[in-house]
Amino acid sequence: MAALPKRILKETERLMSDAPPGISAAPNNDNLRHFDVTVAGPDQSPYEGGVFKLELFLPDEYPMNPPKVRFLTRIYHPNIDKLGRICLDILKDKWSPALQIRTVLLSIQALLGAPNPDDPLANDVAQNWKEDEKAAIAQAKEWTRLYANGE
Amino acid sequence: MAKIPRSFRLLSELEHGEKGIGDGSCSYGLKDPDDIAMYGWNGTILGPPHSAYENRIFSLSIYCGDTYPDTPPIVKFESKINLPCVDQTNGLVNFSRVASISSWKRDFTLETVLVELRRDMASPANRKQPQPPEFSEFPPLDLAKLAKQRK
């Protein structure tokens, strides 16, 4: 494999030695651009107590283009679909090369604390969220208990 | 070149497939939109014009195993078809009988497979092959099980 750009090496090093609270990210041995990630559900959110697995990939164009990220753990959230794809502006048109893996993961963690049903990716979830927020939150808690238990 | 992991490769293929490929003569999509591992896919090929396959829509099942795209997917015609690369007992495609994809490359996609199969139908050697009655099907087959056996 071609040598990794210095920026990626540095980011990786810092993620391993000094990860943000509730977040872990480690590259795969056979592909150093492909990271196994976990994000803990934020306190006071329906995802509290859950540990969510994600995967992240740095394409050739990184950091000019954003990383690719998706959830591997099932999650009931209006901005995350059944395949784990995430609707988050900084992963799309609001990306800037000044952002990092670290900031992306923190933003994803923040998204768990602030679901936005007005910009949905999972339409059925968003609709439920708008019509009956209490029921939606109960469902999100239930899924967290079922799927995000770290097993 | 960064090596795109299986999952992100399949997600981008999915998005590409949802938009529709080229002239619409081939299409594909996930069998189960909830399948986070993206194993099972459906495909269709519209029989090429001026051939024995003209005006028929051929349905296929495709299985992208854990080692895709390093190894080819398992491809099976559901619609009966008389084509040398297709096993007449079960509809499985024998890649070694399709010259253009017989030596698999990582940058081949599901689109490549479908387009090349269609090209194979239109080839001078095959275009006049007598075809079984329309709407007949090969017997079903558990491609997931088959993938495990091949491993």
Side-chain angles (χ1 to χ4, degrees), chain A residues 31 33 55 60 70 82 85, chain B residues 1-3 7 34 36:
Chain A
N31 187 347
R33 289 173 173 266
E55 58 180 331
D60 275 325
R70 76 158 182 157
K82 289 168 175 170
R85 293 180 286 192
Chain B
M1 278 286 282
K3 190 176 165 189
S7 53
D34 286 6
I36 205 159

Side-chain angles (χ1 to χ4, degrees), chain B:
Chain B
M1 278 286 282
K3 190 176 165 189
I4 302 173
R6 174 186 181 281
S7 53
F8 292 109
R9 169 62 187 269
L10 284 173
L11 283 177
S12 84
E13 290 201 45
L14 179 66
E15 273 154 35
H16 181 65
E18 280 167 348
K19 281 184 204 139
I21 319 169
D23 57 1
S25 58
C26 299
S27 69
Y28 62 87
L30 269 182
K31 253 190 215 299
D32 169 8
D34 286 6
D35 178 10
I36 205 159
M38 298 177 280
Y39 286 127
W41 297 70
N42 293 316
T44 59
I45 299 175
L46 193 62
H50 317 300
S51 74
Y53 315 89
E54 187 169 14
N55 294 328
R56 291 196 189 191
I57 298 172
F58 295 90
S59 319
L60 299 90
S61 291
I62 304 167
Y63 187 88
C64 295
D66 291 318
T67 52
Y68 179 85
D70 292 318
T71 60
I74 297 175
V75 180
K76 173 190 188 293
F77 274 87
E78 297 296 350
S79 316
K80 268 207 173 153
I81 184 170
N82 180 20
L83 190 65
C85 66
V86 178
D87 184 325
Q88 289 303 306
T89 63
N90 54 21
L92 284 174
V93 172
N94 181 349
F95 277 67
S96 67
R97 301 282 303 265
V98 189
S100 52
I101 47 176
S102 59
S103 82
W104 182 257
K105 293 195 182 73
R106 199 176 197 274
D107 51 356
F108 288 170
T109 61
L110 300 182
E111 178 180 0
T112 315
V113 172
L114 295 174
V115 167
E116 291 308 323
L117 283 172
R118 186 166 187 267
R119 201 190 304 271
D120 193 50
M121 294 178 192
S123 70
N126 296 336
R127 60 192 295 174
K128 298 250 161 69
Q129 293 266 1
Q131 293 304 309
E134 212 174 339
F135 308 118
S136 48
E137 296 207 330
F138 286 113
L141 197 63
D142 185 346
L143 298 187
K145 203 168 142 191
L146 189 68
K148 278 197 194 107
Q149 287 165 354
R150 285 192 182 178
K151 228 186 257 176

Side-chain angles (χ1 to χ4, degrees), chain A residues 134-151:
Chain A
K134 228 173 141 184
I137 287 174
Q139 178 87 316
K141 282 186 181 164
E142 176 67 4
W143 279 33
T144 302
R145 193 179 64 75
L146 282 175
Y147 304 117
N149 49 23
E151 276 161 21

Side-chain angles (χ1 to χ4, degrees), chain A residues 8-21:
Chain A
I8 296 180
L9 288 174
K10 279 196 144 166
E11 280 200 54
T12 306
E13 222 164 77
R14 175 137 184 257
L15 279 169
M16 306 281 282
S17 64
D18 175 27

Side-chain angles (χ1 to χ4, degrees), chain A residues 82-126:
Chain A
K82 289 168 175 170
L83 295 177
R85 293 180 286 192
I86 306 164
C87 180
L88 184 62
D89 54 2
I90 60 158
L91 291 175
K92 297 181 178 122
D93 51 327
K94 295 280 162 42
W95 171 254
S96 144
L99 298 169
Q100 301 182 7
I101 302 172
R102 181 181 200 87
T103 33
V104 164
L105 297 180
L106 283 166
S107 301
I108 290 171
Q109 195 179 37
L111 183 68
L112 296 186
N116 177 10
D118 293 319
D119 182 21
L121 191 57
N123 287 314
D124 50 333
V125 178

